[in-house]
Amino acid sequence: DSGVTQTPKHLITATGQRVTLRCSPRSGDLSVYWYQQSLDQGLQFLIQYYNGEERAKGNILERFSAQQFPDLHSELNLSSLELGDSALYFCASSIRPMTGVGNTIYFGEGSWLTVV
Amino acid sequence: GENVEQHPSTLSVQEGDSAVIKCTYSDSASNYFPWYKQELGKRPQLIIDIRSNVGEKKDQRIAVTLNKTAKHFSLHITETQPEDSAVYFCAATLAGKSTFGDGTTLTVKP
């Protein structure tokens, strides 16, 4: 168990709908990262927050948004869902804003999103 | 932005043999290179990492080498075991943002 908690574990929704994925980082971690992993694909970095502020942005669609709350949990909002958004969404956390030796990122178990 | 290429995409070895996975990156400013192991349906887990001021790092049967000049780094697994079977991802990190390779599916045959 990495200490990073993600809910829900599985979600099935229809095209055009909106969903929210939730992440609680490890205790004491200030950074939260979101990644998307499509079937048989690698990990695509979406966005990073550090202590409530957006820190880095990757290939995140405009239909997607995220935020980190004062209690450090984070939510990833996916709207106007398309079939191609079906993927495993990982949240990860680390204690400091810059990844590096001694600042490992720990992944949660992921949220499986299926858009039908 | 950073671009990471990982090879091979699949690798099959006999138990006890060595496995080598290679990655190249494009941005010479990248300074941290972790490797993750992901078992089917599970989360990626860090197995070893190296920073740009180090050429090689070893942890038991796993080693990573980095060639900054050529902008490539490799994962070496010796004395492979069936439990090493998984997808392995490399990543190059710049300013806190990690760009991942597409992964290598390693199968270790008993």
Side-chain angles (χ1 to χ4, degrees):
Chain A
D1 183 8
S2 67
V4 180
T5 305
Q6 289 188 247
T7 57
K9 287 187 169 42
H10 299 272
L11 187 58
I12 302 175
T13 190
T15 55
Q17 295 298 305
R18 172 190 169 95
V19 299
T20 297
L21 309 180
R22 194 178 190 279
C23 170
S24 293
R26 291 188 326 150
S27 178
D29 282 1
L30 300 176
S31 264
V32 169
Y33 311 76
W34 286 98
Y35 291 86
Q36 179 193 56
Q37 185 175 40
S38 302
L39 195 63
D40 295 331
Q41 295 293 313
L43 290 154
Q44 299 294 321
F45 170 72
L46 296 178
I47 199 163
Q48 177 200 359
Y49 281 82
Y50 176 73
N51 204 19
E53 300 288 328
E54 184 183 301
R55 176 81 183 187
K57 214 166 188 175
N59 300 321
I60 187 166
L61 299 172
E62 285 193 13
R63 300 183 286 108
F64 297 179
S65 64
Q67 54 185 325
Q68 186 179 28
F69 295 88
D71 67 352
L72 301 177
H73 91 271
S74 178
E75 293 181 354
L76 178 66
N77 300 296
L78 316 174
S79 61
S80 303
L81 285 167
E82 302 174 359
L83 296 178
D85 297 328
S86 295
L88 181 56
Y89 290 85
F90 284 107
C91 172
S93 74
S94 68
I95 194 165
R96 290 187 289 277
M98 301 284 283
T99 52
V101 173
N103 188 41
T104 303
I105 60 171
Y106 294 89
F107 284 83
E109 297 293 339
S111 291
W112 283 97
L113 172 66
T114 302
V115 182
V116 297
Chain B
E2 176 65 277
N3 182 51
V4 176
E5 293 189 0
Q6 183 171 344
H7 299 280
S9 56
T10 60
L11 179 59
S12 182
V13 300
Q14 286 294 137
E15 181 177 1
D17 287 351
S18 295
V20 180
I21 302 169
K22 298 181 179 181
C23 289
T24 61
Y25 60 100
S26 60
D27 195 329
S28 57
S30 288
N31 57 9
Y32 171 62
F33 307 91
W35 285 88
Y36 290 86
K37 175 183 179 183
Q38 185 179 25
E39 296 176 2
L40 190 63
K42 300 204 172 171
R43 60 186 173 87
Q45 295 192 64
L46 179 74
I47 55 171
I48 196 167
D49 55 12
I50 192 169
R51 56 183 158 194
S52 58
N53 61 349
V54 175
E56 184 174 357
K57 184 177 177 180
K58 191 173 180 181
D59 183 3
Q60 299 182 340
R61 297 186 297 108
I62 295 173
V64 58
T65 58
L66 171 65
N67 183 325
K68 283 178 57 180
T69 304
K71 291 188 283 187
H72 68 71
F73 56 113
S74 301
L75 177 71
H76 305 253
I77 306 174
T78 59
E79 301 171 23
T80 53
Q81 301 166 3
E83 51 265 38
D84 294 329
S85 296
V87 179
Y88 291 81
F89 291 97
C90 65
T93 305
L94 174 62
K97 191 171 85 169
S98 290
T99 301
F100 285 80
D102 286 340
T104 296
T105 301
L106 173 64
T107 303
V108 180
K109 295 180 283 188

